[in-house]
Amino acid sequence: MWVEEFNDYWFEGEELIDAGDKVVLFWRQGGEGKASGIRVEGEGGTVFSLEDGRISRARVYLDRAEALEAAGLRE
């Protein structure tokens, strides 16, 4: 798995938004590259589509506005 390429990998959910049949999770992640020693951080949002109480689809966005738009919301 790609996270094994990092030392001290971390993932933190920051905000969860209920959008009816969709849920938006905004998150941050980071770590230090094992080979390079370079510390990196990133943020984004994942839009989960729900059907019958289960996740049927998940899409990752690196832009907050795009994630909100995909869920039918606006900032």
Side-chain angles (χ1 to χ4, degrees):
M1 185 168 207
W2 63 270
V3 296
E4 294 169 352
E5 300 301 318
F6 292 91
N7 291 320
D8 302 322
Y9 174 78
W10 56 271
F11 181 95
E12 180 177 276
E14 292 193 322
E15 184 179 2
L16 199 58
I17 300 172
D18 181 349
D21 64 344
K22 293 182 173 53
V23 174
V24 183
L25 170 65
F26 288 107
W27 46 262
R28 295 186 52 73
Q29 66 180 347
E32 179 182 285
K34 283 183 180 178
S36 67
I38 296 173
R39 190 143 196 81
V40 294
E41 289 188 20
E43 61 183 37
T46 303
V47 177
F48 297 95
S49 299
L50 308 173
E51 290 182 20
D52 299 321
R54 295 176 181 251
I55 296 171
S56 61
R57 182 177 178 173
R59 286 219 152 166
V60 175
Y61 297 86
L62 299 180
D63 182 84
R64 182 180 177 90
E66 286 181 18
L68 289 171
E69 185 177 326
L73 303 171
R74 295 180 186 207
E75 287 199 74

